[in-house]
Amino acid sequence: MSVDLDQMSPWPVVDGQGTHGGYCGPAVKPIALNMVAEIARDRETHGLPISAIGGVTTWKDAAEFIAMGAGTVQVCTAAMTYGFKIVEEMISGLSQFMDEKGYRTIEDFKGRAVSKVTDWQYLNLNYVVKASIDQDLCISCGRCHQVCEDTSHQAITNQVNGQRKFIVKEEECVGCNLCAMVCPVESCITMVPQTKGTDPRTGYEYGRPYANWTTHPNNPASKAAE
Amino acid sequence: MADLRTNFLGIKSPNPFWLASAPPTDKEYNVVRAFKAGWGGVVWKTLGDGDPIVNVSGPRYGAIHGPDRRLIGLNNIELITDRPLEVNLREIKQVKKDWPDRAVVVSLMVPCEEENWKAILKQVEETDCDGIELNFGCPHGMSERGMGSAVGQVPEYGVAHQYNLINHVG
């Protein structure tokens, strides 16, 4: 789990020594969700009943696992962290979500997201998004600029006309989503799909029809590349 | 202040903090900013051969946030570098020349054919970089093309391949 730097031993320390164990909780949820998705979509295992496990803490986690094909979810860390009554919030939250969406039973949305899980090679290379910063919500913390400048594509200003201001440079933005992920204000930065006009970064028109890697000219295995 | 200098496989760096092969080490601009900030070394974002690969222009990153919205996990579907090989090689050579005390390792991924590896290794050697990293780990996109984790997931394949590399490159 970690290392006790005073005792120079794995932590928890059992009389001077430590060992690995079964790691669980919210930090493993994305990994568990992927495993469930792979089982649900694999030709050989598709349709197998899945009782999903791995970091389920809220009703939303449960709904995500169910959408990915799970019939039930198993919970441990959340109960051990908050006590058994946390199931009340899970039940009421899931029920409210289903009412809002018009799902009467679990079966109504079980596995609904499975068909959307695909391989990289089938993703639409012509789909273009650009970051957009809501100037009313922006608190000018500068984190989007900092990460984009250091580790991505230098696509966000920190000054405009001498004023501290954070604006997306569309000619540089690749739509990576990093700024939106690090922004401390939820919904301040959104990734906006582009449909009309020309991409100033690539010179290509927006809204070109779906095309993936399997037919891309740069792909040596592409049958369409003549 | 304590002495943080490291000598790892004969590669020296002023401290043990290296930036991993990833978007932050994709080009000279970013790497120079990193060195100015104090990083001891970088593993340059993975190079490939042939026509550059193409990345998606939709979101490439997904994140998991803790209850306080601190980012605690990042998922990336960007592939290896999408810039031409010659551009990367030129920049690597320049950066190593300008920052001789920093470690510059180059990550590589080409089809598992002897000729591909021999060709790119010769080109990379000319940059005077300190070492190479074999990318047998990338789990998305490239693995569907028989590279990255498609190699790393077959231990016998990886061992045989590295043996050949050592024999041919020394």
Coordinates of all heavy atoms in Angstrom, one line a residue, chain B residues 20-109:
Chain B
A20 N 8.2 10.6 -17.9 CA 8.0 9.4 -18.6 C 7.6 9.7 -20.1 O 7.2 10.8 -20.4 CB 6.8 8.7 -18.0
S21 N 7.8 8.7 -20.9 CA 7.4 8.8 -22.3 C 5.9 9.0 -22.4 O 5.2 8.1 -22.0 CB 7.9 7.5 -23.0 OG 7.3 7.4 -24.3
A22 N 5.5 10.1 -22.8 CA 4.1 10.5 -22.8 C 3.9 11.9 -23.4 O 4.9 12.5 -23.8 CB 3.6 10.5 -21.3
P23 N 2.7 12.4 -23.4 CA 2.5 13.7 -24.0 C 3.4 14.8 -23.5 O 3.9 15.6 -24.4 CB 1.0 14.0 -23.7 CG 0.3 12.7 -23.6 CD 1.4 11.8 -23.0
P24 N 3.8 14.8 -22.3 CA 4.7 15.9 -21.8 C 6.1 15.9 -22.5 O 6.8 16.9 -22.3 CB 4.8 15.7 -20.3 CG 3.6 15.0 -19.9 CD 3.3 14.1 -21.1
T25 N 6.5 14.8 -23.1 CA 7.8 14.7 -23.7 C 7.7 14.5 -25.2 O 8.6 13.9 -25.8 CB 8.6 13.5 -23.1 OG1 7.9 12.3 -23.4 CG2 8.8 13.7 -21.6
D26 N 6.7 15.1 -25.8 CA 6.4 14.8 -27.3 C 7.3 15.7 -28.2 O 7.5 15.4 -29.3 CB 4.9 15.1 -27.6 CG 4.6 14.7 -29.0 OD1 5.2 13.8 -29.5 OD2 3.7 15.4 -29.6
K27 N 7.7 16.9 -27.6 CA 8.5 17.8 -28.5 C 9.5 18.6 -27.7 O 9.4 18.8 -26.5 CB 7.5 18.6 -29.4 CG 6.5 19.4 -28.6 CD 5.6 20.1 -29.6 CE 4.7 21.1 -29.0 NZ 3.7 20.6 -28.1
E28 N 10.4 19.3 -28.5 CA 11.4 20.1 -27.9 C 10.9 21.1 -27.0 O 11.4 21.3 -25.8 CB 12.3 20.7 -29.0 CG 13.4 21.6 -28.5 CD 14.3 22.1 -29.7 OE1 13.9 21.9 -30.8 OE2 15.3 22.7 -29.3
Y29 N 9.8 21.8 -27.4 CA 9.3 22.9 -26.6 C 8.9 22.5 -25.2 O 9.3 23.1 -24.2 CB 8.0 23.5 -27.3 CG 7.4 24.6 -26.5 CD1 7.7 25.9 -26.8 CD2 6.4 24.4 -25.5 CE1 7.2 27.0 -26.1 CE2 5.8 25.5 -24.8 CZ 6.2 26.8 -25.1 OH 5.7 27.8 -24.5
N30 N 8.3 21.3 -25.1 CA 7.9 20.8 -23.7 C 9.1 20.3 -22.9 O 9.2 20.6 -21.7 CB 6.9 19.7 -23.9 CG 5.6 20.1 -24.7 OD1 5.7 20.3 -25.9 ND2 4.5 20.1 -24.0
V31 N 10.0 19.6 -23.6 CA 11.1 19.0 -22.9 C 12.0 20.1 -22.4 O 12.5 20.1 -21.3 CB 11.9 18.0 -23.8 CG1 13.2 17.6 -23.2 CG2 11.0 16.8 -24.1
V32 N 12.3 21.2 -23.2 CA 13.1 22.3 -22.7 C 12.5 23.0 -21.5 O 13.1 23.3 -20.5 CB 13.4 23.3 -23.9 CG1 13.9 24.6 -23.4 CG2 14.3 22.7 -24.9
R33 N 11.2 23.2 -21.6 CA 10.5 23.7 -20.4 C 10.7 22.8 -19.2 O 10.8 23.3 -18.0 CB 8.9 23.9 -20.7 CG 8.6 25.1 -21.4 CD 7.1 25.2 -21.6 NE 6.3 25.5 -20.4 CZ 6.0 26.8 -20.1 NH1 6.5 27.8 -20.8 NH2 5.3 27.0 -19.0
A34 N 10.6 21.5 -19.4 CA 10.8 20.6 -18.3 C 12.2 20.7 -17.7 O 12.4 20.8 -16.5 CB 10.6 19.2 -18.7
F35 N 13.2 20.8 -18.6 CA 14.6 20.9 -18.1 C 14.8 22.2 -17.4 O 15.5 22.3 -16.3 CB 15.6 20.7 -19.3 CG 15.7 19.3 -19.7 CD1 16.3 19.0 -20.9 CD2 15.3 18.2 -18.9 CE1 16.4 17.7 -21.4 CE2 15.4 16.9 -19.3 CZ 16.0 16.6 -20.6
K36 N 14.2 23.3 -17.9 CA 14.3 24.6 -17.2 C 13.7 24.5 -15.8 O 14.1 25.2 -14.9 CB 13.6 25.7 -18.0 CG 14.5 26.2 -19.2 CD 13.7 27.3 -20.0 CE 14.6 27.7 -21.2 NZ 13.8 28.5 -22.2
A37 N 12.7 23.7 -15.7 CA 12.0 23.6 -14.4 C 12.8 22.7 -13.4 O 12.5 22.7 -12.2 CB 10.6 23.0 -14.6
G38 N 13.8 21.9 -14.0 CA 14.6 21.2 -13.1 C 14.6 19.7 -13.2 O 15.3 18.9 -12.5
W39 N 13.8 19.1 -14.2 CA 13.8 17.7 -14.3 C 15.1 17.1 -14.7 O 15.9 17.7 -15.5 CB 12.7 17.3 -15.4 CG 11.3 17.6 -14.9 CD1 10.7 18.8 -15.0 CD2 10.5 16.7 -14.2 NE1 9.4 18.7 -14.4 CE2 9.3 17.4 -13.9 CE3 10.6 15.4 -13.8 CZ2 8.2 16.8 -13.2 CZ3 9.5 14.8 -13.1 CH2 8.4 15.5 -12.8
G40 N 15.4 16.0 -14.1 CA 16.7 15.3 -14.3 C 16.9 14.6 -15.6 O 18.0 14.4 -16.2
G41 N 15.8 14.2 -16.2 CA 15.8 13.5 -17.5 C 14.4 13.4 -18.1 O 13.4 13.7 -17.4
V42 N 14.4 12.9 -19.3 CA 13.1 12.6 -20.0 C 13.3 11.3 -20.7 O 14.3 10.9 -21.2 CB 12.7 13.7 -21.0 CG1 12.4 15.0 -20.3 CG2 13.7 13.8 -22.1
V43 N 12.2 10.6 -20.9 CA 12.0 9.5 -21.9 C 11.1 10.1 -22.9 O 10.0 10.4 -22.7 CB 11.4 8.2 -21.3 CG1 11.4 7.1 -22.3 CG2 12.2 7.8 -20.0
W44 N 11.7 10.4 -24.1 CA 11.0 11.0 -25.2 C 9.8 10.2 -25.6 O 9.9 9.0 -25.7 CB 12.0 11.3 -26.4 CG 11.6 12.4 -27.3 CD1 10.6 12.3 -28.3 CD2 12.1 13.7 -27.3 NE1 10.6 13.5 -29.0 CE2 11.4 14.4 -28.4 CE3 13.1 14.4 -26.6 CZ2 11.7 15.7 -28.7 CZ3 13.3 15.7 -26.9 CH2 12.7 16.4 -27.9
K45 N 8.7 10.9 -25.9 CA 7.5 10.2 -26.3 C 7.8 9.2 -27.5 O 8.5 9.6 -28.4 CB 6.4 11.2 -26.7 CG 5.1 10.5 -27.0 CD 3.9 11.4 -27.1 CE 2.8 10.8 -27.8 NZ 1.6 10.5 -27.0
T46 N 7.2 8.1 -27.4 CA 7.5 7.0 -28.3 C 7.5 7.3 -29.8 O 6.6 7.9 -30.3 CB 6.5 5.8 -28.1 OG1 6.6 5.4 -26.7 CG2 7.0 4.6 -29.0
L47 N 8.6 7.0 -30.5 CA 8.7 7.2 -31.9 C 8.4 5.9 -32.7 O 8.6 4.8 -32.1 CB 10.2 7.5 -32.3 CG 10.9 8.6 -31.5 CD1 12.3 8.8 -32.1 CD2 10.2 9.9 -31.5
G48 N 7.8 6.0 -33.9 CA 7.5 4.9 -34.7 C 8.2 5.1 -36.1 O 8.9 6.1 -36.3
D49 N 7.9 4.2 -37.0 CA 8.5 4.4 -38.3 C 7.3 4.5 -39.4 O 6.2 4.4 -39.0 CB 9.5 3.3 -38.7 CG 8.9 1.9 -38.7 OD1 7.7 1.8 -38.5 OD2 9.7 0.9 -38.8
G50 N 7.7 4.7 -40.6 CA 6.6 4.9 -41.6 C 5.9 6.2 -41.5 O 6.4 7.1 -40.9
D51 N 4.8 6.3 -42.2 CA 4.0 7.5 -42.1 C 3.5 7.7 -40.6 O 3.2 6.8 -39.9 CB 2.7 7.4 -43.0 CG 3.1 7.5 -44.4 OD1 4.0 8.3 -44.8 OD2 2.4 6.9 -45.3
P52 N 3.5 9.0 -40.2 CA 3.1 9.2 -38.8 C 1.7 8.6 -38.5 O 0.9 8.7 -39.4 CB 3.1 10.7 -38.6 CG 3.9 11.2 -39.7 CD 3.8 10.2 -40.9
I53 N 1.5 8.2 -37.3 CA 0.2 7.7 -36.9 C -0.8 8.9 -36.8 O -0.3 10.1 -36.8 CB 0.2 6.9 -35.6 CG1 0.8 7.7 -34.4 CG2 1.0 5.6 -35.8 CD1 -0.2 8.5 -33.7
V54 N -2.0 8.7 -36.7 CA -3.0 9.7 -36.6 C -3.8 9.6 -35.3 O -4.2 8.5 -35.0 CB -4.0 9.7 -37.8 CG1 -5.1 10.8 -37.7 CG2 -3.3 9.8 -39.1
N55 N -3.9 10.7 -34.6 CA -4.6 10.6 -33.3 C -6.1 11.1 -33.5 O -6.4 11.7 -34.5 CB -3.9 11.6 -32.3 CG -2.8 10.8 -31.5 OD1 -3.1 9.8 -30.9 ND2 -1.6 11.4 -31.6
V56 N -6.9 10.7 -32.5 CA -8.3 11.2 -32.5 C -8.2 12.7 -32.2 O -7.3 13.2 -31.5 CB -9.2 10.5 -31.6 CG1 -9.5 9.1 -32.1 CG2 -8.7 10.5 -30.2
S57 N -9.2 13.5 -32.7 CA -9.3 14.9 -32.4 C -10.4 15.1 -31.4 O -10.8 16.3 -31.1 CB -9.5 15.7 -33.6 OG -8.4 15.6 -34.5
G58 N -11.0 14.1 -31.0 CA -12.0 14.2 -29.9 C -11.3 14.1 -28.6 O -10.1 14.1 -28.6
P59 N -12.0 13.9 -27.5 CA -11.3 13.9 -26.2 C -10.3 12.7 -26.2 O -10.6 11.6 -26.7 CB -12.4 13.6 -25.2 CG -13.6 14.2 -25.8 CD -13.4 13.9 -27.3
R60 N -9.1 12.9 -25.7 CA -8.1 11.8 -25.6 C -8.0 11.4 -24.1 O -7.5 10.3 -23.9 CB -6.7 12.3 -26.1 CG -6.8 12.7 -27.5 CD -5.4 13.3 -28.0 NE -5.5 13.8 -29.3 CZ -4.5 14.4 -30.0 NH1 -3.3 14.5 -29.4 NH2 -4.7 14.8 -31.2
Y61 N -8.3 12.3 -23.2 CA -8.2 11.9 -21.8 C -9.5 11.8 -21.1 O -10.4 12.5 -21.3 CB -7.3 13.0 -21.0 CG -6.0 13.3 -21.7 CD1 -5.7 14.6 -22.0 CD2 -5.1 12.3 -22.0 CE1 -4.4 14.9 -22.6 CE2 -3.9 12.5 -22.6 CZ -3.6 13.8 -22.9 OH -2.4 14.1 -23.5
G62 N -9.5 10.8 -20.2 CA -10.7 10.7 -19.2 C -10.0 10.7 -17.8 O -8.9 10.3 -17.7
A63 N -10.8 11.2 -16.9 CA -10.2 11.3 -15.5 C -11.2 10.8 -14.5 O -12.4 10.8 -14.7 CB -9.8 12.7 -15.2
I64 N -10.6 10.3 -13.4 CA -11.5 10.0 -12.2 C -11.0 11.0 -11.1 O -9.9 11.2 -10.9 CB -11.3 8.5 -11.7 CG1 -12.2 8.3 -10.5 CG2 -9.9 8.1 -11.5 CD1 -12.3 6.8 -10.1
H65 N -12.0 11.6 -10.6 CA -11.8 12.7 -9.5 C -12.2 12.2 -8.2 O -13.2 11.4 -8.1 CB -12.6 13.9 -9.9 CG -12.1 14.6 -11.1 ND1 -12.8 14.5 -12.3 CD2 -11.1 15.4 -11.4 CE1 -12.2 15.2 -13.3 NE2 -11.1 15.8 -12.7
G66 N -11.5 12.6 -7.2 CA -11.9 12.3 -5.8 C -13.1 13.3 -5.4 O -13.4 14.1 -6.2
P67 N -13.7 13.1 -4.3 CA -14.8 13.9 -3.9 C -14.5 15.4 -3.9 O -15.4 16.3 -4.0 CB -15.2 13.5 -2.5 CG -14.5 12.1 -2.3 CD -13.3 12.1 -3.2
D68 N -13.2 15.8 -3.7 CA -12.9 17.2 -3.7 C -12.4 17.7 -5.1 O -11.8 18.7 -5.3 CB -11.7 17.5 -2.7 CG -10.5 16.6 -3.0 OD1 -10.5 15.9 -4.0 OD2 -9.5 16.7 -2.3
R69 N -12.7 16.8 -6.2 CA -12.4 17.1 -7.5 C -10.9 17.1 -7.8 O -10.4 17.5 -8.9 CB -13.0 18.4 -8.1 CG -13.2 18.3 -9.6 CD -13.9 19.5 -10.2 NE -13.4 19.7 -11.6 CZ -13.8 18.9 -12.6 NH1 -14.5 17.9 -12.4 NH2 -13.3 19.2 -13.8
R70 N -10.1 16.5 -6.9 CA -8.7 16.3 -7.2 C -8.6 15.1 -8.2 O -9.3 14.1 -7.9 CB -7.9 16.1 -6.0 CG -7.5 17.3 -5.3 CD -6.5 17.1 -4.3 NE -6.5 18.2 -3.3 CZ -5.5 18.5 -2.5 NH1 -4.4 17.8 -2.5 NH2 -5.7 19.5 -1.6
L71 N -7.8 15.3 -9.2 CA -7.7 14.2 -10.2 C -6.8 13.1 -9.6 O -5.7 13.3 -9.1 CB -7.0 14.8 -11.4 CG -6.9 13.9 -12.7 CD1 -6.9 14.8 -13.9 CD2 -5.7 13.0 -12.7
I72 N -7.4 11.8 -9.6 CA -6.6 10.7 -9.0 C -6.4 9.6 -10.0 O -5.7 8.6 -9.7 CB -7.3 10.2 -7.7 CG1 -8.8 9.8 -8.0 CG2 -7.3 11.1 -6.5 CD1 -9.5 9.1 -6.9
G73 N -6.9 9.8 -11.2 CA -6.6 8.8 -12.2 C -6.8 9.4 -13.6 O -7.7 10.2 -13.7
L74 N -5.9 9.1 -14.5 CA -6.1 9.6 -15.9 C -6.0 8.5 -16.9 O -5.1 7.7 -16.8 CB -4.9 10.6 -16.1 CG -5.0 11.5 -17.3 CD1 -6.2 12.5 -17.3 CD2 -3.7 12.3 -17.5
N75 N -6.9 8.5 -17.8 CA -6.9 7.5 -18.9 C -6.6 8.2 -20.2 O -7.2 9.2 -20.5 CB -8.3 6.8 -18.9 CG -8.3 5.7 -19.9 OD1 -7.6 4.7 -19.7 ND2 -9.1 5.8 -20.9
N76 N -5.8 7.6 -21.0 CA -5.3 8.3 -22.2 C -5.5 7.4 -23.4 O -5.0 6.2 -23.4 CB -3.8 8.6 -22.0 CG -3.2 9.3 -23.2 OD1 -3.9 9.8 -24.1 ND2 -1.9 9.4 -23.2
I77 N -6.1 7.9 -24.5 CA -6.2 7.1 -25.7 C -5.4 7.8 -26.8 O -5.5 7.4 -28.0 CB -7.6 6.9 -26.2 CG1 -8.4 8.2 -26.5 CG2 -8.4 6.1 -25.2 CD1 -9.7 8.0 -27.1
E78 N -4.5 8.7 -26.5 CA -3.5 9.2 -27.5 C -2.6 8.1 -27.8 O -2.2 7.3 -26.9 CB -2.8 10.4 -26.9 CG -1.9 11.1 -27.9 CD -1.3 12.4 -27.3 OE1 -2.0 13.4 -27.2 OE2 -0.1 12.3 -27.0
L79 N -2.1 8.0 -29.1 CA -1.1 7.0 -29.4 C 0.3 7.5 -29.3 O 0.5 8.4 -28.6 CB -1.4 6.5 -30.9 CG -2.9 6.1 -31.1 CD1 -3.0 5.6 -32.6 CD2 -3.2 4.9 -30.2
I80 N 1.2 6.9 -30.0 CA 2.6 7.3 -30.0 C 2.7 8.7 -30.7 O 1.7 9.2 -31.1 CB 3.6 6.3 -30.7 CG1 3.2 6.1 -32.2 CG2 3.5 5.0 -29.9 CD1 4.2 5.2 -32.9
T81 N 3.9 9.3 -30.9 CA 4.0 10.6 -31.5 C 3.3 10.6 -32.8 O 3.5 9.7 -33.6 CB 5.4 11.1 -31.6 OG1 5.4 12.4 -32.0 CG2 6.3 10.2 -32.5
D82 N 2.6 11.7 -33.1 CA 2.0 11.8 -34.5 C 2.8 12.8 -35.3 O 2.4 13.3 -36.4 CB 0.5 12.2 -34.4 CG 0.3 13.5 -33.5 OD1 1.3 14.2 -33.2 OD2 -0.9 13.7 -33.1
R83 N 4.1 13.1 -34.9 CA 4.9 14.0 -35.6 C 5.9 13.2 -36.5 O 6.3 12.1 -36.1 CB 5.7 15.0 -34.7 CG 4.7 15.7 -33.8 CD 5.4 16.8 -32.9 NE 6.7 16.4 -32.4 CZ 7.8 17.1 -32.4 NH1 7.7 18.3 -32.9 NH2 8.9 16.7 -31.9
P84 N 6.4 13.8 -37.6 CA 7.3 13.0 -38.4 C 8.6 12.6 -37.7 O 9.1 13.3 -36.8 CB 7.7 14.0 -39.6 CG 6.5 14.9 -39.6 CD 6.0 15.1 -38.2
L85 N 9.1 11.4 -38.0 CA 10.3 10.9 -37.3 C 11.5 11.8 -37.4 O 12.2 12.1 -36.4 CB 10.6 9.5 -37.9 CG 11.9 8.8 -37.4 CD1 11.7 8.5 -35.9 CD2 12.2 7.5 -38.2
E86 N 11.7 12.4 -38.6 CA 12.9 13.3 -38.8 C 12.8 14.5 -37.9 O 13.8 14.9 -37.3 CB 12.9 13.8 -40.2 CG 12.8 12.7 -41.3 CD 11.3 12.3 -41.5 OE1 10.5 13.1 -41.8 OE2 11.1 11.1 -41.2
V87 N 11.6 15.0 -37.7 CA 11.4 16.2 -36.8 C 11.8 15.8 -35.4 O 12.5 16.5 -34.7 CB 10.0 16.7 -36.9 CG1 9.8 17.8 -35.8 CG2 9.6 17.2 -38.3
N88 N 11.3 14.7 -34.9 CA 11.6 14.2 -33.5 C 13.1 14.0 -33.4 O 13.7 14.4 -32.4 CB 10.9 13.0 -33.2 CG 9.4 13.3 -32.7 OD1 9.2 14.0 -31.8 ND2 8.5 12.7 -33.4
L89 N 13.7 13.3 -34.3 CA 15.2 13.0 -34.2 C 16.0 14.3 -34.2 O 16.9 14.4 -33.4 CB 15.6 12.1 -35.4 CG 15.0 10.7 -35.5 CD1 15.3 10.0 -36.8 CD2 15.5 9.9 -34.3
R90 N 15.6 15.2 -35.0 CA 16.4 16.5 -35.1 C 16.3 17.2 -33.7 O 17.2 17.7 -33.2 CB 15.8 17.4 -36.2 CG 16.6 18.6 -36.5 CD 16.1 19.2 -37.8 NE 14.8 19.8 -37.7 CZ 13.8 19.5 -38.5 NH1 13.9 18.7 -39.5 NH2 12.6 20.1 -38.3
E91 N 15.1 17.2 -33.2 CA 14.9 17.9 -31.9 C 15.6 17.2 -30.7 O 16.1 17.8 -29.9 CB 13.4 18.0 -31.6 CG 12.6 19.0 -32.5 CD 11.2 19.2 -32.1 OE1 10.7 18.7 -31.1 OE2 10.5 19.9 -32.9
I92 N 15.6 15.9 -30.8 CA 16.2 15.1 -29.7 C 17.7 15.4 -29.7 O 18.3 15.7 -28.7 CB 16.0 13.6 -29.9 CG1 14.5 13.2 -29.7 CG2 16.9 12.8 -29.0 CD1 14.1 11.9 -30.2
K93 N 18.3 15.4 -30.9 CA 19.8 15.7 -31.1 C 20.1 17.1 -30.5 O 21.0 17.3 -29.8 CB 20.1 15.6 -32.5 CG 21.7 15.6 -32.8 CD 22.0 15.4 -34.3 CE 23.4 15.5 -34.6 NZ 24.2 14.4 -34.2
Q94 N 19.2 18.1 -30.9 CA 19.4 19.5 -30.4 C 19.3 19.6 -28.9 O 20.1 20.2 -28.2 CB 18.4 20.4 -31.1 CG 18.7 21.9 -30.8 CD 20.0 22.3 -31.4 OE1 20.3 22.0 -32.6 NE2 20.8 23.1 -30.6
V95 N 18.3 18.9 -28.3 CA 18.0 19.0 -26.9 C 19.2 18.4 -26.1 O 19.7 18.9 -25.1 CB 16.7 18.3 -26.5 CG1 16.6 18.1 -25.0 CG2 15.5 19.2 -27.0
K96 N 19.7 17.2 -26.6 CA 20.8 16.6 -25.9 C 22.0 17.4 -26.0 O 22.8 17.5 -25.0 CB 21.0 15.2 -26.5 CG 22.1 14.4 -25.8 CD 21.7 14.1 -24.3 CE 22.9 13.7 -23.5 NZ 22.6 13.5 -22.1
K97 N 22.2 18.1 -27.1 CA 23.4 18.9 -27.3 C 23.3 20.1 -26.3 O 24.3 20.5 -25.7 CB 23.4 19.4 -28.7 CG 24.7 20.1 -29.1 CD 24.7 20.4 -30.6 CE 25.8 21.5 -30.9 NZ 25.4 22.4 -32.0
D98 N 22.1 20.7 -26.2 CA 21.9 21.9 -25.3 C 21.9 21.5 -23.8 O 22.1 22.4 -23.0 CB 20.6 22.6 -25.7 CG 20.7 23.2 -27.1 OD1 21.8 23.3 -27.7 OD2 19.6 23.5 -27.7
W99 N 21.5 20.3 -23.5 CA 21.4 19.9 -22.1 C 22.2 18.6 -21.8 O 21.6 17.6 -21.5 CB 19.9 19.7 -21.8 CG 19.1 20.9 -22.0 CD1 18.5 21.4 -23.1 CD2 18.7 21.9 -21.0 NE1 17.8 22.5 -22.9 CE2 17.9 22.9 -21.6 CE3 19.0 22.0 -19.6 CZ2 17.4 24.0 -20.9 CZ3 18.4 23.1 -18.9 CH2 17.7 24.1 -19.5
P100 N 23.5 18.7 -22.0 CA 24.3 17.5 -21.9 C 24.3 16.8 -20.5 O 24.5 15.6 -20.4 CB 25.7 18.0 -22.2 CG 25.7 19.4 -22.0 CD 24.3 19.9 -22.2
D101 N 23.9 17.5 -19.4 CA 23.9 16.9 -18.1 C 22.6 16.2 -17.8 O 22.5 15.5 -16.8 CB 24.2 18.0 -17.0 CG 23.0 19.0 -16.9 OD1 22.4 19.3 -17.9 OD2 22.7 19.3 -15.8
R102 N 21.6 16.3 -18.7 CA 20.3 15.7 -18.4 C 20.2 14.4 -19.2 O 20.8 14.2 -20.2 CB 19.1 16.6 -18.8 CG 19.2 18.0 -18.3 CD 19.2 18.1 -16.8 NE 19.5 19.4 -16.4 CZ 18.6 20.3 -16.1 NH1 17.3 20.0 -16.1 NH2 18.9 21.5 -15.7
A103 N 19.5 13.4 -18.6 CA 19.3 12.2 -19.3 C 18.2 12.3 -20.4 O 17.1 12.8 -20.2 CB 18.8 11.1 -18.3
V104 N 18.5 11.8 -21.6 CA 17.5 11.8 -22.7 C 17.5 10.3 -23.2 O 18.4 9.9 -23.8 CB 17.9 12.7 -23.8 CG1 16.9 12.6 -24.9 CG2 17.9 14.2 -23.3
V105 N 16.4 9.7 -22.9 CA 16.2 8.3 -23.4 C 15.1 8.4 -24.4 O 14.1 9.2 -24.3 CB 15.8 7.4 -22.2 CG1 15.4 6.0 -22.7 CG2 16.9 7.3 -21.2
V106 N 15.2 7.6 -25.4 CA 14.2 7.6 -26.5 C 13.3 6.3 -26.5 O 13.9 5.2 -26.6 CB 14.8 7.8 -27.9 CG1 13.8 7.7 -29.0 CG2 15.6 9.1 -27.9
S107 N 12.1 6.5 -26.4 CA 11.1 5.3 -26.4 C 10.8 5.0 -27.9 O 10.6 5.8 -28.7 CB 9.9 5.7 -25.7 OG 8.9 4.6 -25.8
L108 N 10.8 3.7 -28.2 CA 10.6 3.2 -29.6 C 9.5 2.1 -29.7 O 9.4 1.3 -28.8 CB 11.9 2.6 -30.1 CG 13.1 3.6 -30.2 CD1 14.4 2.8 -30.6 CD2 12.8 4.7 -31.2
M109 N 8.9 2.2 -30.8 CA 7.9 1.1 -31.1 C 7.7 1.0 -32.6 O 7.3 1.9 -33.3 CB 6.5 1.5 -30.5 CG 5.5 0.4 -30.7 SD 3.8 1.1 -30.6 CE 3.7 1.3 -28.8

